[in-house]
């Protein structure tokens, strides 16, 4: 199979799949395609062909893969690291092979993620890849990820209060469209700075003390909108200031250095609990200390580390008197039901705040 015939697909994980696409295009020279938008049909396809007890992200990603293969993809990029989703490539391959699909799988995160290992794997796929080219691409991607996350943080803090609806989202999409055409770290940084200035000029009418809610949980449920029934969109529409520290740059700085992170940051975690559970506990305590009004904990069904974290979160909630609502998402979770519970939670937070005045 020639390089021109290779078509790679990365499943959805917020907008981070765009970073994977750029890595593949620049380092391998392969064509990339985006998965179709995740829909109820996507989830049904994935659930139908998955083991019943497997985690919800596996089922959704499997649905993404099947729809991409039907569009002509023949290489599937493995998403997920830090939890068992990153080890499921063998199971993905077995299920899809049994369904009759012919493809290859590209996993840059086997057992753990680091630049040396990634280069070696990419070199196997493209023997002509040079260290210099890989390093330049990695520097470019790091710059884009940092700017994406900074823009995303600013957006979540302010989008609920924009005077002209749609300005933040419109400009964020324009940023993504422009930055992924950039050829160097310097060019990407310039584009990032341009849109940071644009964001700061967007007019908002924000109360002196809006209701502030933190978002924590497993990576997929927090980062992928369809994986959490579009909770951020609901919060935005209901005038909530959102605090979601879990981003790609945050994970790079903490997920693979948890030993130091635990000792410095948390009174509730003394060891790595697996997955993203330790980060969940640390962030919940930080949010409580910073005076947030409430916390939303999100996890996929059967996510064992987050189940462990939930028992500790109850102690944090009690010790700091901060309400926490828990959502578990599976393939049958109703978006309407989630939003109804959110409405009740926000009403309770508002009443609690009124009592303090």
């Amino acid at each position: 199979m020639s390089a021109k015939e290779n078509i790679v697909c990365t499943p959805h994980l917020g907008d981070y799949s765009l970073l994977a696409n750029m890595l593949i295009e620049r380092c391998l020279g392969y064509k990339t395609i985006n998965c179709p938008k995740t829909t109820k049909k996507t989830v049904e396809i994935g659930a139908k062909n998955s083991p019943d007890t497997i985690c919800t992200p596996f089922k959704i990603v499997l649905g993404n893969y099947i729809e991409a293969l039907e569009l002509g993809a023949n290489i599937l990029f493995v998403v997920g690291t830090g939890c068992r989703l990153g080890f499921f490539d063998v199971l993905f391959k077995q299920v899809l092979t049994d369904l009759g699909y012919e493809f290859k799988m590209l996993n840059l995160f086997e057992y753990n993620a680091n630049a040396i290992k990634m280069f070696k794997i990419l070199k196997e796929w493209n023997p002509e890849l040079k260290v210099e080219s890989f390093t330049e691409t990695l520097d470019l991607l790091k710059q884009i990820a940092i700017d994406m996350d900074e823009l995303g943080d600013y957006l979540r803090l302010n989008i609920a209060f924009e005077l002209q609806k749609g300005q933040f989202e419109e400009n964020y999409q324009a940023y993504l469209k422009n930055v992924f055409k950039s050829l160097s770290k310097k060019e990407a940084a310039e584009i990032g700075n341009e849109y940071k200035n644009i964001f700061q000029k967007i007019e908002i009418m924000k109360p002196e003390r809006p209701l502030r809610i933190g978002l924590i949980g497993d990576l997929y449920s927090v980062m992928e909108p369809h994986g959490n029934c579009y909770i951020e969109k609901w919060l935005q529409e209901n005038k909530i200031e959102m605090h979601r520290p879990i981003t790609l740059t945050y994970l790079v700085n903490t997920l693979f250095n948890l030993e130091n992170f635990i000792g410095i940051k948390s009174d509730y975690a003394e060891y790595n609990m697996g997955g993203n559970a330790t980060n969940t506990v640390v962030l919940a305590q930080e949010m409580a200390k910073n005076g947030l009004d409430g916390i939303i904990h999100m996890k996929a069904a059967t996510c064992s580390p987050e189940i462990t974290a939930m028992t500790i979160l109850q102690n944090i909630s009690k010790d700091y008197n901060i309400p926490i609502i828990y959502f578990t998402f599976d393939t049958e979770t109703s978006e309407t039901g989630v939003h109804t519970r959110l409405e009740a939670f926000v009403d309770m937070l508002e009443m609690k705040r009124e009592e303090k005045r």
Side-chain angles (χ1 to χ4, degrees):
M1 184 183 293
S2 66
K4 291 184 179 180
E5 295 174 315
N6 290 330
I7 304 175
V8 185
C9 178
T10 304
H12 296 294
L13 185 62
D15 295 310
Y16 293 129
S17 58
L18 298 173
L19 295 166
N21 289 349
M22 176 174 270
L23 176 69
I24 292 161
E25 291 167 0
R26 288 176 62 102
C27 290
L28 300 183
Y30 295 172
K31 178 181 178 181
T32 62
I33 61 172
N34 294 319
C35 288
K37 182 179 179 181
T38 302
T39 63
K40 182 179 179 181
K41 180 182 177 182
T42 310
V43 178
E44 289 174 349
I45 292 172
K48 177 183 176 182
N49 294 288
S50 300
D52 289 339
T53 56
I54 208 80
C55 70
T56 305
F58 179 96
K59 297 174 182 179
I60 299 175
V61 171
L62 181 64
N64 289 151
Y65 281 150
I66 290 174
E67 291 184 330
L69 289 166
E70 292 292 337
L71 289 179
N74 50 31
I75 298 176
L76 303 178
F77 188 89
V78 177
V79 65
T81 185
C83 81
R84 59 182 173 169
L85 184 62
F87 297 87
F88 278 156
D89 54 325
V90 175
L91 186 53
F92 280 127
K93 188 172 184 178
Q94 185 64 59
V95 172
L96 293 169
T97 300
D98 289 347
L99 290 173
Y101 293 106
E102 295 183 2
F103 60 94
K104 296 180 180 180
M105 299 202 81
L106 173 56
N107 186 356
L108 299 181
F109 309 109
E110 295 180 28
Y111 308 111
N112 208 331
N114 62 66
I116 296 175
K117 183 178 290 185
M118 288 173 63
F119 174 74
K120 289 180 178 178
I121 294 172
L122 290 169
K123 184 77 171 178
E124 292 175 1
W125 286 74
N126 177 17
E128 296 182 2
L129 179 63
K130 305 298 183 185
V131 173
E132 295 78 8
S133 178
F134 171 74
T135 301
E136 289 176 2
T137 299
L138 215 56
D139 287 343
L140 170 59
L141 293 174
K142 287 178 182 177
Q143 182 64 54
I144 295 175
I146 290 169
D147 289 336
M148 283 176 64
D149 290 342
E150 287 184 7
L151 289 168
D153 288 342
Y154 189 89
L155 181 149
R156 281 183 286 273
L157 291 174
N158 297 290
I159 191 170
F161 313 102
E162 60 185 353
L163 290 179
Q164 186 176 333
K165 294 301 178 184
Q167 276 198 309
F168 275 112
E169 183 61 25
E170 180 181 338
N171 280 287
Y172 182 70
Q173 293 303 322
Y175 162 74
L176 294 178
K177 182 178 180 180
N178 289 326
V179 79
F180 281 102
K181 296 177 183 176
S182 56
L183 300 176
S184 67
K185 176 181 177 180
K186 181 176 182 293
E187 185 179 351
E190 290 172 351
I191 295 172
N193 289 332
E194 175 187 352
Y195 280 89
K196 288 173 190 176
N197 290 330
I198 290 174
F199 269 35
Q200 291 174 1
K201 293 177 181 177
I202 293 176
E203 290 186 298
I204 60 174
M205 185 176 290
K206 189 172 182 178
E208 182 178 344
R209 181 60 171 84
L211 205 64
R212 300 186 298 164
I213 293 179
L215 306 174
I216 56 175
D218 76 76
L219 308 187
Y220 190 89
S221 297
V222 172
M223 291 180 167
E224 173 51 35
H226 191 89
N228 61 40
C229 293
Y230 299 93
I231 277 181
E232 287 192 22
K233 182 178 179 182
W234 188 92
L235 294 172
Q236 165 196 333
E237 293 172 349
N238 285 272
K239 305 295 184 181
I240 307 297
E241 180 182 290
M242 296 174 278
H243 294 250
R244 198 204 84 186
I246 299 175
T247 62
L248 183 59
T249 47
Y250 171 87
L251 293 172
V252 169
N253 291 331
T254 63
L255 193 58
F256 306 114
N257 188 30
L258 279 176
E259 287 72 19
N260 293 331
F261 185 60
I262 294 167
I264 296 171
K265 294 284 186 177
S266 179
D267 301 323
Y268 292 85
E270 295 181 358
Y271 57 88
N272 181 4
M273 294 179 286
N276 196 50
T278 309
N279 298 73
T280 292
V281 171
V282 171
L283 288 173
Q285 185 181 4
E286 288 184 350
M287 290 172 175
K289 286 182 175 179
N290 290 335
L292 267 63
D293 297 289
I295 295 173
I296 297 172
H297 177 259
M298 300 172 277
K299 76 173 181 67
T302 78
C303 181
S304 302
E306 291 301 322
I307 293 173
T308 303
M310 287 170 66
T311 61
I312 304 173
L313 294 181
Q314 293 174 30
N315 292 332
I316 294 174
S317 176
K318 180 181 178 180
D319 293 345
Y320 287 90
N321 191 27
I322 182 170
I324 303 177
I325 187 171
Y326 303 90
F327 287 99
T328 298
F329 301 99
D330 60 29
T331 56
E332 301 298 327
T333 300
S334 163
E335 189 172 318
T336 301
V338 169
H339 295 173
T340 299
R341 288 185 62 201
L342 280 174
E343 185 175 358
F345 182 64
V346 168
D347 286 345
M348 182 269 291
L349 294 180
E350 290 177 341
M351 288 187 290
K352 185 173 183 289
R353 191 168 63 170
E354 284 296 323
E355 291 174 357
K356 291 181 178 180
R357 291 178 177 174

